Amino acid sequence: MKVAIQGIRGSFHDIAAHEFFSGQELDLICCNTFEDLFAAMKADDQVLGLMAIENTIAGSLLHNYELLRESGMTIIGEHKLHIEHALLCLPDEDWGDIVEVNSHPVALAQCRQFLQHHPKMKVVEVDDTAGAAQAISSGHLRGHAAICHEGAAPLYGMRILQRSIEDNKHNYTRFLALCDVWNADRLRELHTTNKASIVFTLPHEEGSLSQVLSIFSFYKINLTKIQSLPIIGREWQYLFYIDVTYDDYMRYRQSIDAVRPLIKELKILGEYEAK
């Protein structure tokens, strides 16, 4: 199974992919950016994707919502990964040797309290958590440490100086499993789904959003998330991304039909099983 991820082996995307596709032999396509991830999927319709969409501390990855909407891909599943950070260094170094810490800016933000206790360490942002460990190892960068998942240590011959350095132990990232829309039916059982992600726009009229939410409530559809993003070039108009859960697939589809006359440009980004 070919799966595109953002990052390299040992990254959180790598770990999430192996957990979500547990039992499958994965051929990972490691991408530098989320744009590259979607490009890999478009180049080969057999390639699946696994993409982070929100974190319990950092919030939503807003740009990824737009990439998903514009891609034409569909969501076939979700996975929630407990995020635990570790401090890694070269195998022959110790605390007294470290003068610089490298990691992705989100990971650095999630370890702010730990870094404040080590003010002599210079903090430098890089593109990827596991990529920081790989760069230190391959370049034999003495005095450098990486913040990433501890699973990167054996992959790149690094030493774990300290585990669980994240500020908040209830730190989770939600990932979406994606595929070409024409392959979705063979990868999921549509009528066993209980969650959907939808995007739409609304007329700039009083009460337009509350009317839509009232209809979902009438059909016993539970709104679990709502995220608004401004529409570039249309002042004070917004795209609304929502997640809903349901017990009855047909009832959910009836609710979609009922709200269509009230909204514009409705698009179902995916129907899948909630995790």
Side-chain angles (χ1 to χ4, degrees):
M1 179 179 287
K2 293 184 285 188
V3 180
I5 62 169
Q6 187 276 321
I8 63 173
R9 292 178 64 221
S11 67
F12 288 105
H13 275 81
D14 175 15
I15 295 161
H18 278 90
E19 288 187 4
F20 181 80
F21 298 106
S22 178
Q24 300 281 344
E25 184 175 344
L26 300 188
D27 177 10
L28 286 182
I29 301 172
C30 297
C31 305
N32 291 328
T33 66
F34 290 111
E35 285 84 353
D36 292 342
L37 182 153
F38 283 106
M41 295 181 68
K42 289 178 181 178
D44 182 351
D45 64 8
Q46 297 304 306
V47 173
L48 308 183
L50 195 83
M51 178 186 74
I53 197 66
E54 63 177 317
N55 176 265
T56 52
I57 298 173
S60 298
L61 282 71
L62 301 181
H63 184 53
N64 286 3
Y65 277 102
E66 288 295 271
L67 291 174
L68 174 58
R69 181 178 64 86
E70 294 169 357
S71 71
M73 302 299 168
T74 191
I75 306 166
I76 55 169
E78 67 175 3
H79 183 71
K80 294 167 184 173
L81 179 69
H82 186 205
I83 303 299
E84 296 178 285
H85 295 296
L87 187 71
L88 276 57
C89 68
L90 292 173
D92 60 343
E93 293 197 314
D94 210 331
W95 284 101
D97 302 308
I98 306 305
V99 296
E100 181 174 312
V101 178
N102 307 143
S103 194
H104 188 278
V106 172
L108 293 171
Q110 293 173 355
C111 301
R112 186 176 290 112
Q113 292 177 21
F114 168 83
L115 293 170
Q116 287 174 348
H117 284 95
H118 300 278
K120 293 183 180 180
M121 295 181 185
K122 179 183 177 182
V123 176
V124 177
E125 297 180 356
V126 296
D127 292 335
D128 185 56
T129 53
Q134 183 193 50
I136 293 169
S137 177
S138 61
H140 202 68
L141 303 179
R142 303 195 67 81
H144 288 237
I147 290 178
C148 58
H149 190 273
E150 65 177 65
L155 292 174
Y156 303 113
M158 301 283 281
R159 177 188 178 191
I160 301 173
L161 279 179
Q162 188 170 331
R163 293 177 170 86
S164 299
I165 64 172
E166 65 279 359
D167 298 341
N168 192 317
K169 306 308 176 185
H170 300 282
N171 184 5
Y172 291 83
T173 294
R174 177 174 168 244
F175 295 81
L176 299 177
L178 312 169
C179 77
D180 183 280
V181 66
W182 298 106
N183 293 325
D185 288 345
R186 69 177 179 82
L187 295 168
R188 64 168 181 203
E189 287 291 335
L190 191 60
H191 290 277
T192 65
T193 64
N194 60 2
K195 188 172 184 178
S197 295
I198 304 162
V199 59
F200 56 83
T201 60
L202 289 168
H204 199 49
E205 299 172 0
E206 183 178 344
S208 56
L209 179 59
S210 64
Q211 290 181 55
V212 171
L213 299 182
S214 294
I215 290 175
F216 281 131
S217 177
F218 173 79
Y219 281 92
K220 307 297 183 185
I221 307 301
N222 183 35
L223 182 73
T224 60
K225 180 182 175 72
I226 183 166
Q227 179 76 55
S228 64
L229 287 177
I231 302 174
I232 306 301
R234 297 193 217 170
E235 294 80 4
W236 319 122
Q237 294 189 47
Y238 298 86
L239 286 163
F240 291 91
Y241 291 85
I242 68 170
D243 289 344
V244 298
T245 58
Y246 47 87
D247 296 323
D248 185 325
Y249 181 78
M250 294 308 298
R251 189 82 169 158
Y252 149 72
R253 293 300 305 198
Q254 289 170 352
S255 73
I256 295 296
D257 291 338
V259 299
R260 281 187 187 277
L262 302 176
I263 61 183
K264 301 177 180 179
E265 305 172 35
L266 181 144
K267 184 176 184 179
I268 298 173
L269 298 172
E271 296 164 348
Y272 49 100
E273 289 188 57
K275 297 295 183 181

